[in-house]
Amino acid sequence: MSTKKFAVIGHPIGHTMSPFIHKRLFELSGIDAEYGILDIAPEKLEYEYRNTLLKLDGYNITIPHKQAIIPFIDSIDEKAEMYGSVNTVANSEGKAKGYTTDPDGFLNALSAAGIVLGGRVVIVGCGGVARTMAYEVALKKLPLLFAVRQEDVSIAKALCDEIRNTVNGSEVSYCLIPELSGDINVLVNATPLGMYPHIENQPVSDAVIAKCENVFDAIYNPLETQLIKKAKANGANAESGMAMLVWQAVVAHEKWDGSTYDVADINKLCIASANELMSR
């Protein structure tokens, strides 16, 4: 059996964790595969697609190619079409199919951590990561509140309108971060506040954290942000963004070769990935 070939594409792409994570996943599944890095400038994408990417068994996609790749591939799945974004492509029997593993990566990370999406859900921030998470909440018919900065109110309003127009019956609203109060079943941080090197920052006050039953922080460097540490100290269930990063990769392998993994093995991989990141 020949060695399968995979890669991650983007531009620039020097510090990606993808090779470390995917190589470990191939080892866990016992599949003989290579995984490389391809830095492809936007103007070279079509050329590289025809001359390089079609020869791979599959590949992951990061900025700036998640939308640009769509016209070249043969088909995309329903979720990728809804989000207008592709981050994984499987080449099989001469056909290239695109997927987005971000939504399922988010949901699987929550599930593995024992966090159930329900009750009052608050997402801090309203950027691209927040949009993905928000749609998954809305699709579950749960009420959703965005907590945002004053300068992001117009973006939050537009995102709320978009979700209402896309997901029938969705209940979505926004408030300013200082106005956030009351009990919160699931708090999601989709901002960079607390990311290395500014690890002393946190997206919400201690008073808000104290009212949270579950916390998910999309940041994965450091593995435990101030938000995560304080949430755990209060007895909340809390998980970091490294879990989402790794579970996104797991979903990609499901699309490529149908591989399945034990939650315990993936939890170990999350810790190993965090240690690898800190060692760089």
Side-chain angles (χ1 to χ4, degrees):
M1 185 180 293
S2 61
T3 300
K4 293 187 175 183
K5 297 186 183 299
F6 299 85
V8 57
I9 71 168
H11 181 76
I13 197 171
H15 300 288
T16 176
M17 285 291 296
S18 290
F20 179 87
I21 294 171
H22 285 283
K23 286 176 182 178
R24 290 292 185 94
L25 290 173
F26 283 123
E27 290 172 3
L28 286 171
S29 60
I31 292 175
D32 181 17
E34 296 176 354
Y35 191 98
I37 298 173
L38 296 174
D39 190 325
I40 300 175
E43 65 272 16
K44 295 287 187 180
L45 181 59
E46 182 173 4
Y47 174 84
E48 293 295 343
Y49 177 79
R50 313 223 176 266
N51 292 276
T52 303
L53 300 182
L54 284 174
K55 299 175 183 177
L56 300 175
D57 292 282
Y59 49 96
N60 299 115
I61 304 160
T62 187
I63 295 171
H65 302 313
K66 289 186 176 184
Q67 290 80 40
I69 196 71
I70 293 175
F72 303 125
I73 57 181
D74 296 294
S75 63
I76 61 176
D77 80 341
E78 186 178 350
K79 274 285 180 73
E81 186 172 4
M82 185 183 81
Y83 283 101
S85 176
V86 166
N87 74 350
T88 297
V89 172
N91 288 332
S92 178
E93 300 178 350
K95 297 292 184 180
K97 185 169 183 177
Y99 305 87
T100 176
T101 67
D102 291 337
D104 288 339
F106 170 58
L107 295 177
N108 289 350
L110 293 182
S111 178
I115 298 174
V116 177
L117 268 181
R120 187 177 184 227
V121 181
V122 175
I123 296 179
V124 186
C126 55
V129 174
R131 179 176 179 269
T132 296
M133 296 168 170
Y135 266 97
E136 294 309 306
V137 175
L139 287 168
K140 291 183 178 298
K141 305 302 180 184
L142 296 171
L144 171 65
L145 175 67
F146 289 103
V148 300
R149 303 175 302 173
Q150 179 66 55
E151 54 265 42
D152 293 331
V153 164
S154 61
I155 298 172
K157 183 179 184 303
L159 182 53
C160 287
D161 290 341
E162 176 192 326
I163 293 171
R164 289 191 200 101
N165 291 333
T166 305
V167 182
N168 290 335
S170 55
E171 184 182 335
V172 56
S173 57
Y174 65 90
C175 72
L176 296 177
I177 292 174
E179 296 172 352
L180 190 57
S181 63
D183 293 338
I184 298 172
N185 296 98
V186 182
L187 178 79
V188 177
N189 176 38
T191 78
L193 287 170
M195 184 185 296
Y196 179 85
H198 304 293
I199 60 174
E200 72 284 354
N201 293 337
Q202 60 189 54
V204 294
S205 68
D206 289 354
V208 169
I209 298 173
K211 292 286 190 177
C212 296
E213 181 182 354
N214 301 280
V215 171
F216 182 82
D217 196 334
I219 292 171
Y220 58 83
N221 185 14
L223 182 63
E224 287 200 345
T225 59
Q226 286 286 87
L227 173 61
I228 294 291
K229 289 178 180 178
K230 290 181 177 180
K232 287 184 175 180
N234 291 333
N237 199 3
E239 183 59 276
S240 81
M242 184 60 76
M244 181 174 172
L245 190 67
V246 173
W247 279 104
Q248 286 171 353
V250 169
V251 176
H253 284 247
E254 292 173 357
K255 306 301 183 186
W256 288 334
D257 46 50
S259 295
T260 58
Y261 302 88
D262 291 334
V263 172
D265 287 334
I266 301 306
N267 288 341
K268 290 176 184 177
L269 180 52
C270 291
I271 295 171
S273 299
N275 290 335
E276 170 68 15
L277 184 64
M278 288 188 291
S279 71
R280 294 187 175 187

